[in-house]
Amino acid sequence: MIEFVDLTKRYGKFTAVDHLTLHVPAQGAVALWGVNGAGKTTVIKCLLGLLRFEGQITVDGCDVRRQGRAARQRIGYVPQELAFYKEMTTFDMAEFYARLKGAPRTHIAPVLEQVGLAEHQAKAVGALSGGMKQRLALGLALLADPPVLVMDEPTSNLDTAARSQLLQLLTQVKQAGKTIVFTSHRIEEVETLADDVAVMEQGRLQFVCPSSALAQRIGLRTQVKFVVPGDQLDHALAILRDDGLAVRRNGVGVIVDVAHGEKARPIHVLGRADIEVIDFEME
Amino acid sequence: MKIVWPIAQKELRDALHNRWFLLYTIAFIGLSLALSYMSLAGAGIAGFAGFGRTAASLINLVLLIIPLMALTVGAQSLAQEQEQGTLAYLLAQPVTRIEVFAGKYLGLALSLLASLGLGFGIAGVVLALASGAGSPLAYVSLVWQTFLLSLTMLSVGFLVSALTKRSGVAIGIGLFLWLTFVFLGDLGLMGTAITMRLPVEQLLWLSLLNPLQVFKMASILDINATLDLLGPAGIYAMQEYGEQLRGVFLALTAFWIVVPALAAYVRFHLRGDL
């Protein structure tokens, strides 16, 4: 469905994307993973024809450079930074973009319903919450029912509740058979939505792997802080160390460095030693 | 037009909700009414002047307000949207840059037309009711020339907007150009003519480099049928070119509308990265 062939983007002497070749199959979901500055957003902008680039990108056979409109007709885009005309109402905004996309007016109401904004259609976009704006962005992207959904850090500016709501919606969209390309640096987002992950570093594609294997491939670790009774703190530190965990003291608790997928391990270790876990949090 | 028209409509709606735009319009209506009253009061007769006299008085008011209005809205057009990120989002839709550019230009041109229509319309109705004297043709002709002038300044504003990325910078350059066209152009021309003892022919053509001067001469010609009151350059122009002057003015105005707008589009198209 989407082909990146030898994609290179340079800003003067700086190479933001370096000879990226990637295939995204129809109905597949691929996440572009990497730290800030890895080149993920640049890839998305090239895909949308917003940047000049070397190499070739095709969407469903349409060359992004030469058939930009046709390529973008097949794409619904959810940006990282919400850039809306704040004075417009939600409905007017949807109507404006529906006209640009050639989507029938009758699509607006069901789409607003789908993203949970039917009750807010008369509200000015500037008055919507962050989560609502992001759902509106998703709704606008889906107006013309495009086969491809492209998202740039779709949940980066959302709180936990809004993120969970959006992820639920996106899961439904994925199940409806859309081809999805998105950038992210949140593991739970990638594991929920993506089939495969393309890991980028300094503009270069490092490797592509199934999303379930990402944490292990990149050695993703999490720090978990446990609060235990003060008189058992030293014992807890010793027990955890004996079990091979990297652990250090932190005030009234201990901080344990664990591999992704092993966050419950310290709880079991402490439980076996009859040490009560009063509280815990992940950092 | 499937894409151009919705964008133009959005621009038109935005402009009509823009406080500055409304302020310019209200100022223009108020001042044009005041001018029409004073133009006859100055002649010793109290009350509203007729259409012809009012049109002549309005030329100087138009020269001040309309370029400022058109230059500032034009200067904000692309730069503001780029700064806010809305331009990149718009261009990420199935649209082309020429459609976005044309839609924005058309929308702002229509909003200027609406503003001028409102300003001239209200003043015209009041004049017709208050005095009813004189031919409204001179007045209508001034409205037309003013609309053309607003398009020239809109095109220059678009060019400024396409060359800058920040709305504040674009407005600053727009204001500087307004000062140049309105004041510095006139003063500079006078100074150059005196110090270099320019022949009248060169003086005429130098002054025609300024689109505001073209507007002034075209409007006076329409109202007065001669440019004699502009002094030696006006007399020379009438003797040398006669009726051809209207064509010359129209061609120069078209040049100032088309060339900056075209240059703005080329720059917008070639800019590439957003």
Side-chain angles (χ1 to χ4, degrees), chain A residues 77-84 115-117 125 128-142 149-159 162-163 165-167 169-170 183 189, chain B residues 89:
Chain A
Y77 169 53
V78 180
Q80 179 180 11
E81 286 172 28
L82 298 160
F84 286 143
V115 296
L117 290 174
V125 172
L128 298 179
S129 69
M132 286 177 181
K133 280 182 192 163
Q134 200 64 311
R135 279 187 276 137
L136 175 60
L138 176 63
L140 298 182
L142 297 175
L149 187 63
V150 172
M151 300 181 287
D152 192 5
E153 304 275 3
T155 66
S156 64
N157 298 321
L158 302 182
D159 59 31
R163 190 183 308 144
Q165 232 175 0
L166 189 70
L167 275 177
L169 269 173
L170 290 173
T183 68
E189 195 170 291
Chain B
Y89 187 60

Side-chain angles (χ1 to χ4, degrees), chain A residues 82-262:
Chain A
L82 298 160
F84 286 143
Y85 304 109
K86 292 178 183 134
E87 298 79 14
M88 283 176 113
T89 66
T90 304
F91 184 85
D92 287 346
M93 175 82 75
E95 190 185 34
F96 174 63
Y97 283 104
R99 289 175 76 186
L100 295 188
K101 289 165 188 278
R105 206 167 184 268
T106 49
H107 277 201
I108 297 172
V111 164
L112 289 180
E113 185 73 45
Q114 185 187 354
V115 296
L117 290 174
E119 289 171 17
H120 303 280
Q121 56 182 304
K123 242 185 206 174
V125 172
L128 298 179
S129 69
M132 286 177 181
K133 280 182 192 163
Q134 200 64 311
R135 279 187 276 137
L136 175 60
L138 176 63
L140 298 182
L142 297 175
L143 272 171
D145 195 19
V148 178
L149 187 63
V150 172
M151 300 181 287
D152 192 5
E153 304 275 3
T155 66
S156 64
N157 298 321
L158 302 182
D159 59 31
T160 314
R163 190 183 308 144
S164 151
Q165 232 175 0
L166 189 70
L167 275 177
Q168 257 182 344
L169 269 173
L170 290 173
T171 308
Q172 290 167 15
V173 170
K174 187 190 171 192
Q175 283 164 354
K178 301 266 184 231
T179 304
I180 298 177
V181 177
F182 68 103
T183 68
S184 181
H185 58 259
R186 288 183 186 280
I187 190 74
E188 74 275 15
E189 195 170 291
V190 169
E191 287 179 338
T192 307
L193 280 181
D195 302 323
D196 292 314
V197 189
V199 176
M200 293 184 68
E201 196 180 309
Q202 294 181 331
R204 284 178 175 269
L205 179 64
Q206 300 299 310
F207 57 88
V208 180
C209 69
S211 61
S212 53
L214 176 69
Q216 196 186 1
R217 284 287 300 264
I218 61 173
L220 191 70
R221 301 190 75 78
T222 308
Q223 298 215 318
V224 190
K225 182 181 174 183
F226 293 95
V227 179
V228 296
D231 58 341
Q232 294 183 309
L233 201 56
D234 289 335
H235 185 41
L237 278 165
I239 289 285
L240 290 166
R241 267 195 202 111
D242 287 350
D243 204 67
L245 289 161
V247 61
R248 69 178 194 276
R249 192 176 182 143
N250 179 267
V252 292
V254 291
I255 292 180
V256 189
D257 187 55
V258 288
H260 184 73
E262 289 191 354

Side-chain angles (χ1 to χ4, degrees), chain B:
Chain B
M1 281 306 275
K2 237 172 78 181
I3 302 294
V4 173
W5 187 235
I7 296 174
Q9 280 180 309
K10 195 199 80 61
E11 288 297 320
L12 182 60
R13 188 167 53 179
D14 286 354
L16 298 180
H17 284 99
N18 182 321
R19 267 178 284 175
W20 284 105
F21 200 81
L22 292 176
L23 194 70
Y24 285 136
T25 307
I26 292 165
F28 183 63
I29 295 168
L31 289 170
S32 56
L33 281 171
L35 261 183
S36 68
Y37 182 84
M38 286 190 295
S39 60
L40 211 61
I45 307 160
F48 283 86
F51 284 107
R53 189 184 285 269
T54 301
S57 313
L58 280 175
I59 290 174
N60 286 317
L61 177 67
V62 165
L63 276 170
L64 274 179
I65 292 186
I66 302 306
L68 180 63
M69 189 173 180
L71 269 170
T72 46
V73 296
Q76 285 182 84
S77 58
L78 301 168
Q80 192 174 43
E81 284 226 37
Q82 176 155 14
E83 200 171 49
Q84 292 171 348
T86 45
L87 189 60
Y89 187 60
L90 188 60
L91 290 169
Q93 310 304 321
V95 300
T96 60
R97 292 193 184 210
I98 183 76
E99 287 167 340
V100 170
F101 187 90
K104 291 183 83 64
Y105 191 95
L106 178 65
L108 289 176
L110 288 175
S111 55
L112 284 170
L113 184 63
S115 172
L116 294 179
L118 207 64
F120 279 110
I122 291 174
V125 168
V126 172
L127 276 173
L129 294 175
S131 80
S135 157
L137 206 62
Y139 195 75
V140 172
S141 148
L142 179 68
V143 176
W144 168 243
Q145 293 292 352
T146 304
F147 180 54
L148 291 181
L149 172 70
S150 71
L151 290 186
T152 64
M153 292 296 104
L154 183 66
S155 294
V156 175
F158 258 80
L159 180 56
V160 171
S161 206
L163 291 170
T164 50
K165 288 184 176 174
R166 296 209 169 273
S167 166
V169 176
I171 291 177
I173 297 173
L175 288 175
F176 174 75
L177 286 175
W178 174 72
L179 273 174
T180 307
F181 283 132
V182 174
F183 298 111
L184 300 181
D186 255 7
L187 292 175
L189 193 62
M190 278 167 61
T192 312
I194 292 166
T195 52
M196 297 187 70
R197 296 181 181 279
L198 285 179
V200 70
E201 184 188 354
Q202 284 179 19
L203 182 65
L204 172 71
W205 283 105
L206 268 178
S207 64
L208 287 178
L209 289 177
N210 184 343
L212 270 63
Q213 293 296 330
V214 176
F215 159 79
K216 189 158 84 177
M217 290 190 205
S219 300
I220 290 173
L221 188 64
D222 279 350
I223 295 166
N224 211 31
T226 175
L227 293 178
D228 291 357
L229 58 89
L230 289 177
I235 295 167
Y236 168 81
M238 288 307 295
Q239 282 178 351
E240 194 69 22
Y241 302 103
E243 273 307 302
Q244 287 177 325
L245 270 175
R246 287 181 205 280
V248 172
F249 293 149
L250 195 62
L252 284 167
T253 304
F255 173 87
W256 275 100
I257 293 171
V258 174
V259 173
L262 210 59
Y265 172 67
V266 170
R267 173 70 187 135
F268 178 56
H269 183 74
L270 292 179
R271 186 189 282 171
D273 294 358
L274 282 168

